[in-house]
Amino acid sequence: MPGYDPAAARQEPAPVKILVAGGFGVGKTTLVEAVSEIEPLRTEERLTAAGIGVDDLDGIEAKTATTVAMDFGRITLADAGVVLYLFGTPGQERFWFMWDDLLHGALGAVVLVDTRRLERSFPAVDFFENRGLPFVVGANCFHGEQPYTADEIRAALRLRDPGTPVLMLDARARTDVRDVLLSLLDTVIDRTRAATAAP
Ligand SMILES: Nc1nc2c(ncn2[C@@H]2O[C@H](COP(=O)(O)OP(=O)(O)OP(=O)(O)O)[C@@H](O)[C@H]2O)c(=O)[nH]1
Ligand SMILES: [Mg+2]
């Protein structure tokens, strides 16, 4: 009978919980889907006529569904020795009460922004800043274009920590998403080092 092998256990990648947040329709579900090595769990409901006047589809006219609970995906970053469990949050204001539950045990977050509608992601930035969770900002380049620089986006979001990384990405591109996640891991490690070095 196979027994517990501590050497094998040491080689297993460490599990890390990451949140993917941001306002309505910024591309959270798309990001989790693009990068997940398992079939992602989605909890999407169709957008219907009932949402007219409530759900603002300006700029994302092709969108047909919205997340009502969470997205869940997994990606192993073998080089970093971690397996990331990605929890995509719901973007609509009426579901924000779930964010605190999703936060439990998370080490960091990706805040996605759509620079055409930056204000949609202000609450996510405030949420993580107020709770002290390290995060990076991913500026989703819809239609492949981004008229603003990372510094301009950082200034417009009024990020408290000027060192917060702001990366351009296409949420549909696995390599872009991977880069954002690696940047987040660096941020988490830097923060942990700074905290343990503090007197
Ligand atoms: N062109 C382009 N379209 C994108 C990109 N990312 C997402 N989309 C589209 O934008 C729409 C919104 O994306 P979702 O992934 O559903 O956004 P979400 O943040 O999960 O939305 P909620 O869960 O409703 O808050 C969808 O129609 C996507 O196909 C991108 O990088 N480029
Ligand atoms: Mg979604």
Side-chain angles (χ1 to χ4, degrees):
M1 199 173 90
Y4 174 71
D5 178 355
R10 268 197 300 278
Q11 281 167 14
E12 274 176 23
V16 173
K17 178 178 177 181
I18 299 295
L19 300 189
V20 181
F24 175 58
V26 292
K28 303 175 294 293
T29 300
T30 305
L31 180 151
V32 173
E33 203 169 57
V35 83
S36 182
E37 62 203 6
I38 56 168
E39 180 65 31
L41 168 78
R42 284 176 295 244
T43 60
E44 290 198 293
E45 290 295 337
R46 281 182 64 79
L47 288 165
T48 65
I52 294 172
V54 182
D55 304 329
D56 183 357
L57 288 172
D58 197 15
I60 44 167
E61 288 79 6
K63 188 169 167 60
T64 55
T66 188
T67 303
V68 294
M70 67 169 189
D71 307 305
F72 176 72
R74 187 190 74 199
I75 175 175
T76 306
L77 299 175
D79 299 349
V82 292
V83 52
L84 302 184
Y85 291 93
L86 303 176
F87 288 73
T89 60
Q92 296 189 65
E93 204 171 331
R94 57 185 177 275
F95 300 125
W96 288 351
F97 67 91
M98 265 179 276
W99 287 10
D100 262 317
D101 287 335
L102 288 171
L103 183 71
H104 191 73
L107 282 196
V110 174
V111 175
L112 273 185
V113 302
D114 176 350
T115 53
R116 299 170 302 180
R117 310 300 298 271
L118 210 54
E119 73 285 353
R120 284 185 186 177
S121 293
F122 284 163
V125 168
D126 287 345
F127 180 82
F128 295 121
E129 285 187 339
N130 290 337
R131 283 158 184 80
L133 193 79
F135 67 94
V136 297
V137 173
N140 199 2
C141 303
F142 286 86
H143 313 303
E145 55 195 43
Q146 184 53 261
Y148 305 103
T149 65
D151 283 342
E152 285 169 336
I153 295 169
R154 191 178 291 108
L157 285 172
R158 295 189 174 74
L159 299 179
R160 270 186 221 163
D161 178 354
T164 304
V166 176
L167 293 99
M168 308 299 169
L169 86 159
D170 182 326
R172 301 163 300 177
R174 189 182 160 83
T175 49
D176 283 13
V177 176
R178 202 171 176 278
D179 287 347
V180 169
L181 293 171
L182 286 170
S183 168
L184 175 61
L185 282 180
D186 285 343
T187 304
V188 170
I189 291 165
D190 288 350
R191 275 272 211 106
T192 312
R193 282 212 185 109
T196 48

